[in-house]
Amino acid sequence: MTKRPSSIVEAFVRHAESTPGKTCLRFEGERWTYEMLRGRAENFAAALKTWGLEPGERVALYKENSPDFLAAYLGTHLAGGVVVPVNNQYRRGELRHIFEDAGVRLCLTDGERRPELEGVREELPRLEAVIEAGRELEDFLNAAEPHEPELPEGDDLAVIAYTSGTTGRSKGAMLLHRNLVANIEAICEAWRWTANDHLLLTLPLFHTHGLMVGAHGTFFSGASAELRRKFDAAGVYDSLLEGSFTMFFGVPTMYTRLLREAEAREERPNPLRLYVAGSAALSPQAFERFEELFGERILERYGMTETGMNLTNPYDGERRPGTVGGPFPGQEARVVDIESREPLPVGEVGEIEVRGPHVFEGYWERPDATGEVFKEDGWFRTEDLGSVSEDGYFTISGRTKELIISGGYNVYPREVEELLEGCPGVAEVAVVGLPDEEFGEKVTAAVVRDDEELTAEKVQDFCRDDLAGYKKPREVVFLDELPRNALGKVLKHEVREGLVEKEE
Ligand code: MCA
Ligand code: AMP
């Protein structure tokens, strides 16, 4: 039996050796074989080495979806580097923090995002090179001297993935190559992903869902994917009608938009082998409507940046709406009491904990934060609330962490509040998530103003330079005061309930 690969890039290289001419990616009319993508990745690795990247140093990818994103990802690993994927909607405030925190030395970006990064460049002394896709990238690649690519060890750090923190500033989750391999191996087994699959990949590559499920699964199983710059419901529907795909993965907002698209059209796509939803809760109504219109039951699963995928509805068994199924092969999950931390009986709601080889190493340079989420026996606290049924299906019913999920993107209220506290005219602010048909939840700011001239637009505009667009409050409500407890702490749930009532 061949040895299990120690890294995603090792699995990829093996496929490039055994099936060099096979299509790996399609992108805007281009066909990238395994051999071609490997060549580009090795060229990137050699260029990094020539430039002077040392093992373990950080390379950021702050660019839109493209084959070069993936070539740079694999190439960084072949050069012994660590990848820091950066949400391409991030603005100066977020970039300043992530680049500084991770000590990024080199960044691959694109023309659209470069000015944003250049705007904070002077504050980032450790960022030595910014390379823009296009001519600059070609020059960088052409300068490469020959370099023998080296495959990373399983225990090496592969990725620092930033996930927002409750205190406002995001934390870097350290994922080792072996964590990534363990997770994708379990996913491929559970979802029967094989070299014959062809995935329609429209998710952003800078997040776990697109990169560590979509791209990793393709590389690990030797399959192919059609990569899109971004999701567009009409375009995806047309592609589904055309019929060459076996799988599609999306966040619930994408499914909501696909349902709207289907309702407006006569023609229906033929069934795919597998539709997967995750990153936020898929409503049972959307699940059922999808089955009516597309003839298929979506497989819902549950994951996190720190762990990759944790729970999944079964491929063969019943896919139960409103639930996320049970643990992937080789993993464990349980529900514990929030206070005592003891496991709870079936049906009772508590915090979900997970354990297994997929769980990350800890937060980058944050032993305090790492200590808070890990127990000595290896159980990881997800800060998600839920219960498990008699027959092992988990249901996610809430969170202990203060988090808003809008269209699959996470927004930590504290980060938005901290910024808005500095907005002229804002005396006090509380940011909460209100139900939203399209995005699941919408970021809403309850503001007490000390200047009557302050408008909702001014509050929203204040966020423009520092926060990604999806974190900006979609709604701003002015209140006379915020409800507080005896200790003066703002009662967020009361703010939220009050606003929900107002909307009804
Ligand atoms: C874009 N906008 C949004 C969102 N996305 N506002 C609220 N919530 C959003 N999710 C805003 C933009 O800031 C902009 O506003 C305006 O909408 C248009 O931007 P555009 O990019 O054209 O938006 P879109 O194409 O309509 O985007 C919707 C989307 C996108 C395709 C659903 O949000 C998306 O790709 N979401 C997927 C995120 C994802 O991959 N999450 C997985 C995380 P303005 O002009 O005012 O700025 S991984 C994870 O959670 C775990 C591990 C897991 O389990 O998977
Ligand atoms: P992130 O840290 O960005 O990876 O987001 C992970 C969070 O997304 C989890 O902790 C959950 O709160 C949420 N999440 C992911 N998948 C689901 C799902 N299927 N249902 C409900 N929440 C989900």
Side-chain angles (χ1 to χ4, degrees), residues 204 208 230 257 279 301 303 406-409 439 469-470 472 474:
T208 302
K230 60 187 296 208
R257 291 188 184 175
S279 308
R301 65 25 171 212
S406 169
Y409 282 132
F439 290 111
Y470 64 86
K472 178 178 72 186
R474 295 173 75 78

Side-chain angles (χ1 to χ4, degrees), residues 163 279-281 300-305 324 384 399 401 405 410:
T163 167
S279 308
E300 185 173 357
R301 65 25 171 212
Y302 157 80
M304 277 183 83
T305 302
V324 290
D384 284 311
R399 302 174 203 122
K401 53 192 165 195
I405 305 185
N410 288 8

Side-chain angles (χ1 to χ4, degrees), residues 217-292:
T218 301
F219 297 152
F220 194 79
S221 55
S224 60
E226 173 148 337
L227 182 66
R228 293 279 159 85
R229 224 171 266 264
K230 60 187 296 208
F231 175 81
D232 143 55
V236 166
Y237 201 82
D238 287 337
S239 304
L240 293 173
L241 287 174
E242 170 238 313
S244 65
F245 300 101
T246 62
M247 302 194 288
F248 175 80
F249 302 162
V251 299
T253 301
M254 294 177 177
Y255 284 103
T256 309
R257 291 188 184 175
L258 281 177
L259 283 173
R260 231 189 277 146
E261 197 61 36
E263 272 155 6
R265 302 218 206 174
E266 298 274 301
E267 226 183 329
R268 298 277 170 259
N270 286 326
L272 301 194
R273 185 177 76 72
L274 184 64
Y275 281 100
V276 177
S279 308
L282 179 74
S283 74
Q285 292 82 341
F287 178 97
E288 274 147 26
R289 190 70 182 133
F290 197 85
E291 189 174 12
E292 279 164 27

Side-chain angles (χ1 to χ4, degrees), residues 270-343:
N270 286 326
L272 301 194
R273 185 177 76 72
L274 184 64
Y275 281 100
V276 177
S279 308
L282 179 74
S283 74
Q285 292 82 341
F287 178 97
E288 274 147 26
R289 190 70 182 133
F290 197 85
E291 189 174 12
E292 279 164 27
L293 293 178
F294 289 74
E296 288 205 54
R297 290 169 82 76
I298 299 171
L299 182 152
E300 185 173 357
R301 65 25 171 212
Y302 157 80
M304 277 183 83
T305 302
E306 287 91 335
T307 59
M309 300 301 107
N310 291 312
L311 298 167
T312 180
N313 267 281
Y315 184 80
D316 287 322
E318 182 200 355
R319 296 181 195 166
R320 197 174 294 171
T323 79
V324 290
F328 279 87
Q331 304 181 4
E332 295 170 274
R334 66 181 188 183
V335 178
V336 301
D337 183 87
I338 296 170
E339 299 298 327
S340 70
R341 310 306 303 174
E342 289 302 319

Side-chain angles (χ1 to χ4, degrees), residues 365-425:
E365 294 181 342
R366 293 287 304 275
D368 53 331
T370 304
E372 281 169 25
V373 293
F374 277 116
K375 302 223 291 215
E376 273 162 26
D377 49 10
W379 286 100
F380 169 73
R381 301 167 63 153
T382 62
E383 297 181 277
D384 284 311
L385 295 172
S387 58
V388 59
S389 69
E390 193 77 59
D391 56 355
Y393 283 73
F394 284 71
T395 299
I396 314 283
S397 53
R399 302 174 203 122
T400 63
K401 53 192 165 195
E402 229 195 276
L403 166 69
I404 300 168
I405 305 185
S406 169
Y409 282 132
N410 288 8
V411 183
Y412 275 83
R414 198 61 213 127
E415 188 180 10
V416 186
E417 285 163 0
E418 275 173 14
L419 183 75
L420 288 180
E421 277 159 8
C423 174

